[in-house]
Amino acid sequence: RIDLVFHSAVMANSHRKLIFNIYIGFYCSAVIQICICSQFTSSSIDPFSKDRGAFPVATNGEIFPWRELRLPTMVIPLHYDLCVHPNLTSLDFVASEKIEVLVRDATQFIILHSKDLEIMNATLQSEEDLRYRKPGKKLTVLSYPAHEQIALLVPEKLMADLRYSVAIDFQAKLADGFEGFYKSTYRTLGGETRTIAVTDFEPTQARMAFPCFDEPLFKANFSIKIRRESRHIALSNMPKVKTIELEGGLLEDHFETTVKMSTYLVAYMVCDFNSVSGTASSGVKVSIHAAPDKWSQTHYALEASLKLLDFYENYFDIHYPLAKLDLVAIPDFESGAMENWGLVTCRETSLLFDPKTSSTSDKLWVTKVIAHELAHQWFGNLVTMEWWNDIWLNEGFATYMELISVNVTYPELQFDDDFLNMCFEVIKRDSLNSSRPISNQAETSTQIKEMFDALSYEKGACILNMLKDFLSEEKFKKGIIHYLKKFSYRNAKNDDLWSSLSNDCLESDSASGGFCYSDSKTTSSTLAFLRENVEVKQMMATWTLQKGIPLVVVNREARSLRLRQERFLNGVFKEDPGWGALQERYLWRIPVTYSTSSSNAIHRHILKSKTDTLDLPEKTSWVKFNVDSNGYYIVHYEGHGWDQLITLLNQSHTLLRPKDRISLIHDAFQLVSAGRLTLDKALDLTRYLQHETSIPALLKGLEYLELFYHIMERRNVSDVTENLKHYLLQYFKPAIDMQSWHDEGSVWDRRLRSALLKLACYLNHAPCIQKATELFSQWMESSGKLNIPTDVLKIVYSVGAQTTAGWNYLLEQYELSLSGAEKNKILYALSTSKHQEKLMKLIELGMEGKVIKTQDLAALLHAIARNPKGQQLAWNFVKENWIHLLKKFELGSFPIRMIISGTTSHFSSKDELQEVKLFFESLKAQGSHLEIFQIVLETISKNIKWLEKNLPTLRNWLLISI
Ligand code: BES
Ligand code: ZN
């Protein structure tokens, strides 16, 4: 998601051995909590006397009365009054809060989350104290940093069913990194550096900004006040009600009380940004904020946000509940964007669009980010998962809704094909044994962070798309609206979703008994509903509670189709000794679809067992499964199946839909990796591409050929590298020569141009280098004023970066540029230099964090590692500077996972594998364990195997093809 090259990085994945016992684990911890609570609430003497040793020790040496990572549920928050005063000169903040809590079970302590906060004072008032204005009773504060918790010990037991108010004064430094309440800086056109303060809380960082019940289930209302100087503005989730002037000229902004929400969605900031605003059809005021000199880049985001907000309000039939929505471009931001309710924060490149330097892909990214974060205002903010194990209910849905909303609001972006590619991308991850189920146990902060990966996002979205295709769009839409309405301002889990999806009427429609009777409902339709409910739930359990992706093997004999399902494993062959064990107990309910040569009809069937047989109504010359690639499975055609399809592609490829052509290319190469299809057969399949009229299909084929080129180049297999280069240039020459160097045509025309010219210049195709050099020189001569077409900008910079003068000039321009889109392109170009000392210089600048911001370090290391001349450099650097990197980013965070996978997963030799293994073992010995380690090791093993098996085939195929 934060990549210099492709916007979506394939991120870490967490692997659990437990497959079907997620809920068992969940219940167990609940039981333990209950035991502990009653231990404290029932004993009237010393609560600690029973089992002293089992409790942790607080920082002051006293016993800390709670031992679980999860908070107890004896006390729940109702309302927070929070007043924060950040000082942008001394870079710290002082704050106070009052939390109104409800005691559900009598207790002698309150456990809150708090991390790196200095608590100055804590007091407690009962309702009676409040009524009679009695001062608060002082509370003893214990802290247990290992669990990021504090305990407030009360002098007298808190009584069940009563409300209390807890007041806490606290202070801290503005954080250095990207979490909690942190500082961010930017440079003005005039060269001045300015500081702002901003929050970023998801998943578990609200506790760094104020003591709170920092779990998604503890929803409450928040009344926020922010103190600031008059040269600044303050923003928060809600509209400002008033500003009061304090002594000394300080201003205090009061914001309206929020709706009921989780702590991770709270946000506020103090800055001196400018904004543009507009009004959505429903009257909601939408504003885009950015640093003053970047104001001119905000207009596209405003247009997109207004369109998308209108779309969602209509689609969900639920009003966006706040009066305003702000989206802010933050100069230092760790992830891509964050959906804080009413105050969406973004990386500059995720929100700003500069017509002079932003390409079509950049525009698509901004649109996708806004579509995603606005979808969260419903999926995530209004309805939140109960716990982080089901974070896919947030992220999978927001990712799925990108498809639905962008297709309607920006059809010209043809987002469908991107969505399909995204599903292919996650299949790579999910077909390793180290994958994990979508819904997965997560306890520690690191584990919770690791849940934000391709499986929660992309696999989540892809299986939702499959379910939509199975249920029909209309029914699916009704179901999700039902889910959103039913669980508004509340939390939900997997099963709640499945029930809503099989129940297409609202709670209010149901007369009695919790069943749904709508329209002409009778008892039999109730039964049908119950059956369907079980059906959806059973089907979806196989996709969310079980890891991996199925392979459907089709064997056709005359009119009979024999189907078989297996677990698809990349890099493990059926002949391998371990294959059988890896298959055991895997079974999916697969909604298969197929079309045949005899009609346009889409046939449907649910494959529930390992094998099944279908009868075709008539004789056909070919069968294609997984129509439009809506299903999350790979298809293998045994016997003559593939040959028939290859013949079909060569004779009249347009008889198949474009997405079916893309999926054939994809599946064929995946089957090669799994040892089911020979590489030459898959390569033969791509020969039809010279007649291909669909650009996404053409690009899919090109992607694989380019990939092989990069593998050969990295491994220094010079004969194959040369021949492949020759083949690529010869095969795509007509297409390359047709390209103009202007931004013109449809989105896909423009993406084809970028891809082909990038390839041509990378392969040193003379006309390409010549044109790019010419444009680069003109650009330098114009002192960077000349506008180069945005689709070829990165290519021109990359060619320019190959000379020392060009490289140095680009670095100067990097520092000066105010466009994040341009900076990313320059940084990528700089990273393609063949000179190691230049690459090292970039890494040093990235570590220093001034010219190259720390937020871009992970993408930079990734980019350098992709450069054959930089791969060893980047990897050595990571090994030697691991400790320094961990000071910049948290373990389990997005950048750390990107740095690890980005600098290692392209390795393909046994020595490299051994080296990486040793490094991971040393990290584990130091106490750092990440699930990405196993993914990387499996990926490298898979690469090794691929080469062993396919290099001779590739070599021979090229010899007969050029
Ligand atoms: N909720 C996430 C932000 C987030 C990411 C929080 C990781 C905690 C950990 C946000 O909605 C998101 O998904 N952002 C994406 C961009 C999106 C367009 C896919 C991101 O940051 O990569
Ligand atoms: Zn998200």
Side-chain angles (χ1 to χ4, degrees):
R1 289 167 205 111
I2 35 171
D3 197 304
L4 295 177
V5 193
F6 307 110
H7 284 291
S8 69
V10 186
M11 292 313 306
N13 138 348
S14 40
H15 166 54
R16 290 259 172 285
K17 291 206 187 72
L18 320 165
I19 298 174
F20 282 107
N21 57 355
I22 296 144
Y23 294 99
I24 300 170
F26 207 62
Y27 286 144
C28 286
S29 64
V31 172
I32 295 166
Q33 285 186 15
I34 294 162
C35 305
I36 295 166
C37 307
S38 58
Q39 186 181 345
F40 283 104
T41 51
S42 59
S43 85
S44 51
I45 336 157
D46 176 8
F48 313 114
S49 65
K50 279 193 181 160
D51 192 7
R52 272 190 101 86
F55 284 89
V57 180
T59 44
N60 66 354
E62 284 182 37
I63 297 287
F64 192 82
W66 189 250
R67 57 181 163 192
E68 302 291 315
L69 272 168
R70 296 285 300 269
L71 297 182
T73 49
M74 297 100 78
V75 178
I76 56 167
L78 301 173
H79 179 258
Y80 294 75
D81 243 315
L82 178 64
C83 178
V84 188
H85 176 200
N87 185 324
L88 298 190
T89 314
S90 55
L91 302 177
D92 47 21
F93 65 93
V94 289
S96 60
E97 68 177 343
K98 262 195 181 160
I99 314 176
E100 187 191 349
V101 298
L102 172 68
V103 174
R104 295 218 287 211
D105 291 300
T107 176
Q108 247 171 332
F109 56 83
I110 299 172
I111 308 292
L112 291 170
H113 283 113
S114 173
K115 186 182 175 193
D116 299 337
L117 298 174
E118 186 192 337
I119 312 277
M120 277 110 68
N121 189 37
T123 57
L124 179 98
Q125 287 173 300
S126 63
E127 275 181 296
E128 199 181 277
D129 295 340
L130 285 169
R131 207 172 309 126
Y132 299 108
R133 295 179 190 239
K134 283 202 221 157
K137 297 186 195 72
K138 199 164 164 60
L139 300 172
T140 303
V141 184
L142 300 180
S143 81
Y144 185 52
H147 285 182
E148 303 172 352
Q149 290 169 354
I150 55 171
L152 308 178
L153 308 185
V154 298
E156 283 162 40
K157 219 177 205 180
L158 303 179
M159 307 296 286
D161 301 323
L162 292 188
R163 292 175 184 216
Y164 294 86
S165 169
V166 181
I168 308 177
D169 298 324
F170 56 99
Q171 63 184 20
K173 285 172 99 60
L174 285 170
D176 274 329
F178 304 88
E179 304 188 334
F181 195 22
Y182 70 96
K183 54 183 182 284
S184 167
T185 57
Y186 70 95
R187 232 178 52 108
T188 64
L189 250 183
E192 181 194 345
T193 298
R194 293 189 189 162
T195 305
I196 69 163
V198 61
T199 57
D200 191 42
F201 291 167
E202 197 182 16
T204 57
Q205 284 97 246
R207 62 192 72 171
M208 294 173 73
F210 59 98
C212 57
F213 296 80
D214 199 10
E215 292 183 7
L217 201 50
F218 292 114
K219 291 197 175 188
N221 305 95
F222 297 81
S223 304
I224 296 174
K225 296 177 189 144
I226 306 288
R227 295 185 180 172
R228 60 172 173 94
E229 292 173 41
S230 60
R231 65 190 167 118
H232 289 132
I233 59 160
L235 297 171
S236 184
N237 304 88
M238 302 296 288
K240 190 166 77 181
V241 199
K242 63 175 176 192
T243 302
I244 58 172
E245 199 170 334
L246 306 175
E247 258 174 61
L250 211 58
L251 300 175
E252 187 178 274
D253 290 332
H254 294 203
F255 297 92
E256 268 175 36
T257 301
T258 68
V259 291
K260 224 172 144 207
M261 61 190 247
S262 305
T263 45
Y264 79 87
L265 291 168
V266 172
Y268 40 87
M269 63 183 297
V270 171
C271 66
D272 62 346
F273 285 1
N274 292 346
S275 61
V276 294
S277 305
T279 310
S281 306
S282 59
V284 176
K285 182 178 176 192
V286 178
S287 311
I288 313 294
H289 305 254
D293 299 326
K294 292 168 188 164
W295 182 80
S296 64
Q297 302 172 38
T298 53
H299 299 87
Y300 177 69
L302 180 62
E303 173 204 301
S305 304
L306 286 167
K307 270 197 189 183
L308 285 158
L309 188 65
D310 281 353
F311 171 82
Y312 285 130
E313 292 199 284
N314 261 316
Y315 187 87
F316 295 136
D317 183 33
I318 304 174
H319 274 302
Y320 170 78
L322 316 183
K324 66 91 176 171
L325 171 63
D326 290 312
L327 296 99
V328 193
I330 310 291
D332 301 271
F333 203 78
E334 186 172 271
S335 57
M338 174 63 211
E339 70 268 24
N340 314 298
W341 216 338
L343 180 58
V344 173
T345 43
C346 305
R347 254 185 194 236
E348 291 186 339
T349 45
S350 298
L351 191 66
L352 302 182
F353 181 85
D354 173 30
K356 289 202 175 75
T357 55
S358 298
S359 64
T360 15
S361 304
D362 295 328
K363 184 173 229 168
L364 191 76
W365 175 246
V366 170
T367 317
K368 179 182 150 81
V369 170
I370 298 174
H372 180 104
E373 305 310 336
L374 294 204
H376 273 314
Q377 307 299 309
W378 287 263
F379 281 107
N381 300 9
L382 189 62
V383 179
T384 314
M385 70 282 148
E386 283 187 0
W387 180 246
W388 303 107
N389 65 322
D390 274 337
I391 186 61
W392 85 278
L393 288 176
N394 275 13
E395 299 303 346
F397 257 112
T399 307
Y400 167 77
M401 287 310 302
E402 292 169 18
L403 172 72
I404 305 301
S405 65
V406 176
N407 266 346
V408 172
T409 50
Y410 290 93
E412 69 276 15
L413 292 179
Q414 297 182 43
F415 192 66
D416 257 30
D417 294 299
D418 284 285
F419 190 86
L420 185 53
N421 276 326
M422 184 192 85
C423 297
F424 293 152
E425 205 52 49
V426 70
I427 288 174
K428 286 186 200 150
R429 281 276 308 283
D430 206 18
S431 53
L432 296 177
N433 189 40
S434 54
S435 189
R436 64 162 182 89
I438 285 186
S439 188
N440 201 20
Q441 209 183 4
E443 297 285 327
T444 64
S445 287
T446 302
Q447 287 168 346
I448 292 169
K449 286 194 172 102
E450 288 182 294
M451 290 295 287
F452 290 81
D453 69 354
L455 297 159
S456 292
Y457 281 75
E458 282 88 17
K459 184 176 176 182
C462 299
I463 63 158
L464 287 172
N465 185 51
M466 172 169 74
L467 181 59
K468 174 200 73 178
D469 185 59
F470 171 68
L471 289 176
S472 86
E473 175 141 26
E474 187 199 5
K475 185 148 195 203
F476 186 80
K477 179 178 167 184
K478 264 191 181 168
I480 61 175
I481 294 174
H482 181 202
Y483 166 81
L484 286 172
K485 291 192 173 166
K486 180 164 175 192
F487 294 97
S488 283
Y489 303 104
R490 298 202 289 140
N491 299 73
K493 52 186 185 305
N494 258 355
D495 277 355
D496 297 325
L497 174 66
W498 309 139
S499 316
S500 303
L501 277 166
S502 13
N503 184 355
D504 60 7
C505 51
L506 287 174
E507 202 78 325
S508 53
D509 301 333
S510 73
S512 62
F515 294 129
C516 169
Y517 304 87
S518 71
D519 309 326
S520 57
K521 286 279 150 61
T522 61
T523 316
S524 74
S525 73
T526 306
L527 286 176
F529 154 63
L530 285 175
R531 225 178 298 125
E532 208 173 87
N533 187 9
V534 172
E535 185 102 307
V536 171
K537 197 170 143 180
Q538 277 184 348
M539 175 189 282
M540 294 318 286
T542 71
W543 299 97
T544 53
L545 305 181
Q546 171 175 256
K547 68 179 178 181
I549 172 165
L551 170 68
V552 174
V553 182
V554 183
N555 199 318
R556 184 158 70 97
E557 257 169 53
R559 278 166 45 186
S560 160
L561 285 172
R562 265 183 295 157
L563 303 184
R564 187 169 83 235
Q565 64 162 295
E566 294 171 10
R567 174 179 173 205
F568 179 76
L569 288 159
N570 203 332
V572 187
F573 299 172
K574 210 164 180 174
E575 309 82 79
D576 293 346
W579 191 83
L582 291 169
Q583 293 290 332
E584 267 166 37
R585 290 185 297 115
Y586 283 85
L587 190 68
W588 284 266
R589 295 200 163 207
I590 313 172
V592 294
T593 54
Y594 59 96
S595 60
T596 72
S597 51
S598 358
S599 78
N600 277 331
I602 299 175
H603 305 270
R604 292 176 186 272
H605 176 73
I606 303 182
L607 179 59
K608 295 181 189 171
S609 46
K610 279 272 174 195
T611 59
D612 212 343
T613 307
L614 303 177
D615 291 317
L616 290 171
E618 56 221 320
K619 240 183 122 212
T620 61
S621 60
W622 52 264
V623 181
K624 162 73 177 64
F625 271 74
N626 199 0
V627 178
D628 267 342
S629 217
N630 278 316
Y632 188 74
Y633 55 91
I634 291 179
V635 187
H636 182 38
Y637 302 90
E638 278 183 348
H640 296 295
W642 279 106
D643 291 328
Q644 284 157 355
L645 288 163
I646 292 174
T647 311
L648 170 68
L649 284 173
N650 279 316
Q651 284 171 352
S652 42
H653 67 273
T654 48
L655 286 178
L656 288 169
R657 304 153 181 254
K659 280 197 213 144
D660 284 331
R661 277 133 52 192
I662 300 177
S663 80
L664 285 176
I665 299 172
H666 169 265
D667 287 6
F669 283 105
Q670 292 310 304
L671 290 164
V672 171
S673 300
R676 294 302 177 89
L677 202 65
T678 58
L679 178 62
D680 45 1
K681 183 125 317 161
L683 287 167
D684 284 343
L685 186 145
T686 64
R687 288 189 200 272
Y688 94 94
L689 284 174
Q690 51 188 318
H691 308 294
E692 180 54 271
T693 39
S694 152
I695 294 175
L698 188 59
L699 286 175
K700 178 69 28 205
L702 180 63
E703 184 188 309
Y704 281 106
L705 296 171
E706 260 192 284
L707 174 72
F708 301 152
Y709 181 83
H710 289 295
I711 297 173
M712 296 303 133
E713 192 190 25
R714 275 177 186 287
R715 288 235 64 80
N716 263 322
V717 192
S718 48
D719 64 318
V720 182
T721 313
E722 269 312 300
N723 287 344
L724 199 46
K725 171 178 168 176
H726 195 83
Y727 178 79
L728 278 165
L729 283 178
Q730 174 191 308
Y731 193 83
F732 289 98
K733 191 171 184 298
I736 292 171
D737 290 345
M738 264 169 58
Q739 301 306 315
S740 75
W741 289 67
H742 297 289
D743 290 341
E744 59 191 4
S746 72
V747 169
W748 283 95
D749 287 337
R750 295 178 60 176
R751 293 173 86 175
L752 179 67
R753 172 179 310 124
S754 293
L756 287 177
L757 294 178
K758 180 175 168 215
L759 175 72
C761 278
Y762 190 78
L763 298 179
N764 269 321
H765 184 49
C768 186
I769 298 284
Q770 205 181 344
K771 180 74 187 173
T773 311
E774 187 186 307
L775 282 171
F776 189 77
S777 312
Q778 288 170 3
W779 178 68
M780 260 173 84
E781 276 156 28
S782 75
S783 308
K785 302 241 165 15
L786 177 83
N787 287 340
I788 302 173
T790 59
D791 297 334
V792 298
L793 195 48
K794 195 154 85 179
I795 301 162
V796 172
Y797 289 160
S798 300
V799 170
Q802 302 311 315
T803 69
T804 298
W807 196 89
N808 289 336
Y809 186 71
L810 280 164
L811 187 57
E812 278 169 36
Q813 291 300 309
Y814 181 82
E815 240 190 299
L816 294 176
S817 174
L818 285 175
S819 151
E822 180 177 42
K823 289 179 86 145
N824 267 359
K825 293 181 183 71
I826 297 182
L827 195 54
Y828 171 79
L830 292 169
S831 81
T832 64
S833 168
K834 308 257 177 320
H835 302 146
Q836 304 221 336
E837 72 285 355
K838 294 197 175 79
L839 301 178
M840 201 54 228
K841 163 113 196 214
L842 290 178
I843 297 183
E844 279 160 16
L845 289 173
M847 289 299 282
E848 193 185 35
K850 287 183 184 146
V851 175
I852 300 175
K853 280 182 170 275
T854 306
Q855 67 163 5
D856 298 316
L857 180 60
L860 172 67
L861 284 168
H862 190 185
I864 292 178
R866 295 159 70 104
N867 175 347
K869 290 280 185 305
Q871 53 179 340
Q872 206 54 40
L873 186 89
W875 163 232
N876 287 339
F877 180 84
V878 170
K879 272 191 299 182
E880 285 154 23
N881 293 277
W882 182 249
I883 305 290
H884 301 291
L885 291 169
L886 269 193
K887 285 194 186 123
K888 295 178 188 286
F889 310 107
E890 298 288 320
L891 192 71
S893 68
F894 213 64
I896 284 289
R897 288 181 280 151
M898 183 169 186
I899 288 170
I900 294 184
S901 68
T903 54
T904 57
S905 41
H906 53 269
F907 285 146
S908 55
S909 76
K910 290 195 170 129
D911 291 346
E912 288 164 332
L913 176 63
Q914 192 52 25
E915 222 182 293
V916 176
K917 227 184 220 160
L918 280 176
F919 176 59
F920 289 167
E921 267 153 29
S922 75
L923 296 186
K924 279 192 225 165
Q926 295 161 36
S928 309
H929 183 74
L930 289 176
E931 292 177 332
I932 186 90
F933 295 168
Q934 189 54 30
I935 298 161
V936 166
L937 295 177
E938 265 187 49
T939 306
I940 302 175
S941 306
K942 180 202 81 186
N943 295 346
I944 295 172
K945 200 155 174 182
W946 193 95
L947 268 175
E948 270 172 8
K949 176 147 176 131
N950 295 311
L951 179 56
T953 320
L954 180 59
R955 183 175 272 133
N956 288 335
W957 187 83
L958 283 167
L959 289 179
I960 56 162
S961 302
I962 53 177

Coordinates of all heavy atoms in Angstrom, one line a residue, residues 1-2 202-203 333 335-339 365 368-369 372-373 376 395 399 402 449 452 457 894 897, ligand 1:
R1 N 0.8 -1.2 0.0 CA 0.0 0.0 0.0 C 0.8 1.3 0.0 O 0.3 2.3 -0.3 CB -0.9 0.0 1.2 CG -2.0 -1.0 1.0 CD -2.8 -1.3 2.2 NE -3.3 -2.7 2.1 CZ -2.9 -3.7 2.8 NH1 -2.0 -3.6 3.7 NH2 -3.3 -4.9 2.5
I2 N 2.1 1.1 0.5 CA 3.0 2.3 0.4 C 4.2 1.9 -0.4 O 5.2 1.6 0.2 CB 3.3 2.9 1.7 CG1 3.5 1.7 2.7 CG2 2.3 3.9 2.2 CD1 4.1 2.1 4.1
E202 N -5.2 3.6 15.4 CA -5.5 2.2 15.2 C -4.3 1.3 15.0 O -3.3 1.8 14.4 CB -6.3 2.0 13.8 CG -7.0 0.7 13.8 CD -7.8 0.4 12.5 OE1 -7.6 1.1 11.5 OE2 -8.6 -0.6 12.5
P203 N -4.2 0.2 15.6 CA -5.3 -0.5 16.4 C -5.2 -0.1 17.9 O -6.2 0.0 18.5 CB -5.0 -2.0 16.2 CG -3.5 -2.1 15.8 CD -3.1 -0.8 15.2
F333 N 3.3 10.1 7.7 CA 2.2 9.1 7.9 C 2.7 7.7 7.6 O 3.3 7.5 6.6 CB 1.0 9.5 7.1 CG -0.3 9.0 7.6 CD1 -0.9 9.7 8.7 CD2 -0.9 7.8 7.1 CE1 -2.1 9.2 9.2 CE2 -2.1 7.4 7.7 CZ -2.7 8.1 8.7
S335 N 1.0 4.5 7.5 CA 0.3 3.7 6.5 C -0.2 4.6 5.4 O 0.4 5.6 5.1 CB -0.9 3.0 7.2 OG -1.8 3.9 7.8
G336 N -1.2 4.2 4.6 CA -1.7 4.9 3.5 C -2.7 6.0 3.9 O -2.7 7.1 3.5
A337 N -3.6 5.6 4.8 CA -4.7 6.5 5.3 C -5.4 5.9 6.5 O -5.2 4.7 6.7 CB -5.7 6.8 4.2
M338 N -6.1 6.7 7.2 CA -6.8 6.2 8.4 C -8.2 6.8 8.5 O -8.4 8.0 8.4 CB -6.0 6.5 9.7 CG -6.6 6.1 11.0 SD -6.9 4.3 11.1 CE -8.4 4.4 12.1
E339 N -9.2 6.0 8.8 CA -10.6 6.3 8.7 C -11.2 7.0 9.9 O -12.5 7.0 10.0 CB -11.4 5.1 8.3 CG -11.6 4.1 9.5 CD -10.5 3.0 9.5 OE1 -9.4 3.2 8.9 OE2 -10.8 1.9 10.1
W365 N -5.2 5.6 -7.4 CA -4.8 5.4 -6.0 C -5.6 6.3 -5.0 O -6.2 5.9 -4.1 CB -3.3 5.5 -5.8 CG -2.9 5.4 -4.3 CD1 -2.3 6.3 -3.6 CD2 -3.0 4.2 -3.5 NE1 -2.1 5.9 -2.3 CE2 -2.5 4.6 -2.2 CE3 -3.5 2.9 -3.7 CZ2 -2.4 3.7 -1.1 CZ3 -3.4 2.0 -2.6 CH2 -2.9 2.4 -1.4
K368 N -9.1 5.3 -4.9 CA -9.3 4.1 -4.1 C -9.2 4.4 -2.6 O -10.0 3.8 -1.8 CB -8.1 3.1 -4.6 CG -8.1 1.8 -3.9 CD -6.9 1.0 -4.5 CE -6.3 0.1 -3.4 NZ -7.0 -1.1 -3.3
V369 N -8.2 5.2 -2.2 CA -8.1 5.5 -0.8 C -9.3 6.2 -0.3 O -9.8 5.8 0.8 CB -6.8 6.4 -0.6 CG1 -6.8 6.9 0.9 CG2 -5.5 5.7 -0.9
H372 N -12.1 3.8 0.0 CA -11.9 2.9 1.1 C -12.2 3.5 2.4 O -13.0 3.0 3.3 CB -10.5 2.4 1.0 CG -10.0 1.4 2.1 ND1 -9.9 0.1 1.8 CD2 -9.7 1.6 3.4 CE1 -9.5 -0.5 2.9 NE2 -9.4 0.4 3.9
E373 N -11.6 4.7 2.7 CA -11.8 5.3 4.0 C -13.3 5.8 4.2 O -13.8 5.8 5.3 CB -10.8 6.5 4.2 CG -9.4 6.1 4.0 CD -8.9 4.9 4.8 OE1 -9.5 4.5 5.8 OE2 -7.9 4.2 4.4
H376 N -15.4 2.9 5.3 CA -15.2 2.6 6.7 C -16.1 3.4 7.6 O -16.4 3.0 8.7 CB -13.7 3.0 7.1 CG -12.7 1.9 6.9 ND1 -13.0 0.6 7.3 CD2 -11.5 1.9 6.5 CE1 -11.9 -0.2 7.1 NE2 -11.0 0.6 6.5
E395 N -11.7 -4.3 7.2 CA -10.8 -4.0 6.0 C -11.3 -4.8 4.8 O -11.2 -4.2 3.7 CB -9.4 -4.4 6.4 CG -8.8 -3.6 7.6 CD -8.9 -2.1 7.3 OE1 -9.1 -1.6 6.2 OE2 -8.7 -1.3 8.3
T399 N -12.4 -2.7 1.4 CA -11.7 -3.0 0.2 C -12.7 -3.5 -0.9 O -12.7 -3.1 -2.0 CB -10.6 -4.1 0.4 OG1 -9.8 -3.7 1.5 CG2 -9.8 -4.3 -0.8
E402 N -14.7 -0.5 -2.3 CA -13.9 0.3 -3.3 C -14.4 -0.1 -4.7 O -14.7 0.8 -5.5 CB -12.4 0.0 -3.2 CG -11.7 0.4 -2.0 CD -10.3 -0.2 -1.9 OE1 -9.7 -0.6 -3.0 OE2 -9.7 -0.2 -0.8
K449 N -1.3 -6.0 15.1 CA -0.8 -5.2 13.9 C -0.7 -6.2 12.7 O -0.9 -5.8 11.6 CB 0.5 -4.6 14.2 CG 0.4 -3.4 15.2 CD 1.7 -2.6 15.2 CE 1.6 -1.3 15.9 NZ 2.1 -1.3 17.2
F452 N -3.4 -6.8 10.0 CA -3.7 -5.9 8.9 C -2.8 -6.3 7.7 O -1.8 -5.7 7.4 CB -3.3 -4.4 9.3 CG -4.3 -3.9 10.3 CD1 -4.2 -4.2 11.7 CD2 -5.4 -3.1 9.9 CE1 -5.1 -3.7 12.6 CE2 -6.3 -2.6 10.8 CZ -6.2 -2.9 12.2
Y457 N -7.5 -7.8 4.1 CA -7.9 -6.9 3.1 C -8.4 -7.5 1.8 O -9.5 -7.5 1.5 CB -6.8 -5.9 2.8 CG -6.5 -4.8 3.8 CD1 -5.8 -5.1 5.0 CD2 -6.8 -3.5 3.5 CE1 -5.6 -4.0 5.9 CE2 -6.6 -2.5 4.4 CZ -5.9 -2.8 5.6 OH -5.7 -1.7 6.4
F894 N 3.6 -2.1 9.6 CA 3.6 -2.2 8.2 C 5.0 -2.0 7.6 O 5.5 -2.8 6.8 CB 2.7 -1.0 7.7 CG 1.9 -1.3 6.5 CD1 1.0 -2.3 6.5 CD2 2.2 -0.5 5.4 CE1 0.3 -2.5 5.3 CE2 1.5 -0.7 4.3 CZ 0.6 -1.7 4.2
R897 N 7.4 -5.0 8.2 CA 7.1 -6.2 7.4 C 7.5 -5.9 6.0 O 8.0 -6.8 5.3 CB 5.6 -6.5 7.5 CG 5.3 -7.0 8.9 CD 3.8 -7.3 9.0 NE 3.0 -6.2 9.3 CZ 1.7 -6.1 8.9 NH1 1.1 -7.1 8.2 NH2 1.0 -5.0 9.1
Ligands
BES1 N1 -7.7 1.3 8.9 C1 -6.6 1.3 8.0 C2 -5.4 2.0 8.5 C3 -4.5 1.1 9.3 C4 -3.6 0.3 8.7 C5 -4.6 1.0 10.7 C6 -2.8 -0.6 9.4 C7 -3.8 0.2 11.4 C8 -2.9 -0.6 10.8 C9 -7.1 2.1 6.7 O1 -8.4 2.1 6.5 C10 -6.4 1.4 5.6 O2 -6.8 0.3 5.3 N2 -5.5 2.1 4.9 C11 -4.8 1.5 3.8 C12 -5.1 2.2 2.5 C13 -6.3 1.7 1.9 C14 -6.7 2.5 0.7 C15 -6.1 0.2 1.4 C16 -3.3 1.6 4.1 O3 -3.0 2.4 5.0 O4 -2.5 0.9 3.5

